[in-house]
Amino acid sequence: MQELVKITEQNGKQAVSARELHTFLESKQQFSNWIRNRIKKYGLIENQDYIVFNKFIKNLEGGRPLDEYALTLDCAKELAMVEGNLKCKQARQYFIECEKKLREVTQRQIGEVKDLKTIEAKIMVARFYLEVCSPNENSKLMLMHSIANPVGLDLPDYTTSKDVLRSASELLKINNIGMNTRQLNQLLLQEGILTENSRPSNSKAAKDGKSYFKTLTEKGLEYGENQSSIHNPKETQPLYYENKFMDLLKLLNLL
């Protein structure tokens, strides 16, 4: 967008020089008369619609230093609209575009601040989680991704596991096995791959004041790893090696 009238900043707000606007609009009136008439006719309020300051340059007409007027963007747009010549429409559209760009920048800055505050809050919680719960390396990486991914930050997708780890529900779906996770877990418990543990819980969903969760046994660790649950770090969540899952299904006579 071509700059028609320079827009600067006065007291933290965008401002337009009334003298430069007067020149662009090609008014036939002397500037001092033009601006005073506009202030009186349209009820412009000092320190709200405009501010006055002295510009200490040589006055070609002699006398005291020139008074300069800094107009708000809204005020400049209004004065451009009422000028009533060929330049007024061009100036009005220019100021509208400037306002649009200012809103876009402001909204983007607000969004960036919100994102930053969200990230800072997540990092504070993550630090507390890491200090108190001492999760394994894979859980740490999952936590890092949960913070970085929503804001478009890429992290290396590696783990210290022997192979890619996936949940039972994912692997059942990938391999088109016609059963759900609960049915699979029953077979794994019977085979000694899983064991059921419990912990005290005040949750309304808890049975007899306890929360129950599954853990891979020593025999089961051939087929996966116990990770900290993403729902509660005090519980484990069995995850299974992708390249070992078919062997596990064969062990259960499902293949």
Side-chain angles (χ1 to χ4, degrees):
M1 180 176 62
Q2 181 183 1
E3 184 180 66
L4 302 183
V5 181
K6 187 176 181 180
I7 296 177
T8 59
E9 188 172 298
Q10 290 286 340
N11 298 330
K13 297 181 180 179
Q14 287 198 314
V16 175
S17 164
R19 192 178 295 275
E20 289 188 17
L21 178 60
H22 172 264
T23 300
F24 175 78
L25 293 173
E26 299 177 350
S27 173
K28 304 301 182 183
Q29 296 183 57
Q30 184 183 32
F31 171 72
S32 58
N33 294 330
W34 177 85
I35 188 63
R36 288 170 189 158
N37 290 338
R38 293 296 183 271
I39 290 172
K40 182 177 180 180
K41 184 175 181 179
Y42 298 105
L44 304 182
I45 302 173
E46 188 172 357
N47 297 323
Q48 178 175 315
D49 298 309
Y50 68 94
I51 60 172
V52 184
F53 59 95
N54 294 127
K55 189 173 183 179
F56 291 96
I57 61 174
K58 184 178 180 180
N59 187 342
L60 298 179
E61 298 177 0
R64 62 186 178 82
L66 298 174
D67 282 337
E68 290 295 338
Y69 296 76
L71 310 172
T72 66
L73 212 52
D74 281 340
C75 182
K77 183 171 64 174
E78 182 180 358
L79 295 187
M81 289 172 63
V82 300
E83 190 62 27
N85 63 15
L86 295 177
K87 287 284 189 176
C88 70
K89 184 177 181 181
Q90 187 179 3
R92 175 179 176 273
Q93 189 59 43
Y94 170 71
F95 290 132
I96 289 174
E97 288 298 318
C98 289
E99 286 179 319
K100 181 180 177 182
K101 288 187 178 297
L102 175 62
R103 284 195 299 270
E104 290 174 352
V105 170
T106 301
Q107 290 172 355
R108 185 166 60 249
Q109 290 174 340
I110 291 173
E112 289 172 353
V113 169
K114 286 183 177 178
D115 286 342
L116 181 59
K117 288 183 177 179
T118 300
I119 293 171
E120 289 175 345
K122 286 184 176 181
I123 289 174
M124 288 178 64
V125 173
R127 284 176 176 166
F128 176 78
Y129 169 72
L130 294 173
E131 290 175 3
V132 173
C133 302
S134 301
N136 56 38
E137 296 302 315
N138 196 63
S139 294
K140 290 178 183 178
L141 186 63
M142 291 171 64
L143 179 63
M144 290 167 63
H145 276 289
S146 72
I147 296 173
N149 291 345
V151 293
L153 298 176
D154 294 325
L155 292 176
D157 191 17
Y158 60 85
T159 70
T160 56
S161 301
K162 301 174 185 177
D163 182 43
V164 176
L165 286 167
R166 295 187 184 276
S167 67
S169 59
E170 285 182 291
L171 290 168
L172 288 171
K173 185 176 181 179
I174 290 171
N175 292 283
N176 297 314
I177 307 301
M179 66 168 48
N180 57 40
T181 305
R182 180 174 294 183
Q183 293 170 326
L184 177 65
N185 284 345
Q186 289 301 316
L187 295 176
L188 293 172
L189 287 167
Q190 293 171 15
E191 190 64 34
I193 300 296
L194 285 179
T195 185
E196 190 165 65
N197 294 315
S198 65
R199 65 173 182 82
S201 174
N202 295 323
S203 171
K204 292 182 180 180
K207 298 178 182 179
D208 304 322
K210 294 182 179 180
S211 177
Y212 294 88
F213 56 95
K214 308 291 190 301
T215 302
L216 287 166
T217 63
E218 185 174 352
K219 179 180 178 181
L221 290 175
E222 180 183 347
Y223 302 97
E225 297 179 12
N226 291 312
Q227 301 288 324
S228 297
S229 172
I230 58 174
H231 303 294
N232 193 311
K234 294 180 180 179
E235 299 179 3
T236 57
Q237 176 185 4
L239 295 179
Y240 299 89
Y241 299 133
E242 191 172 40
N243 69 349
K244 285 275 191 176
F245 194 66
M246 299 304 286
D247 293 338
L248 182 59
L249 295 179
K250 290 177 182 178
L251 178 68
L252 300 174
N253 296 315
L254 294 176
L255 291 179

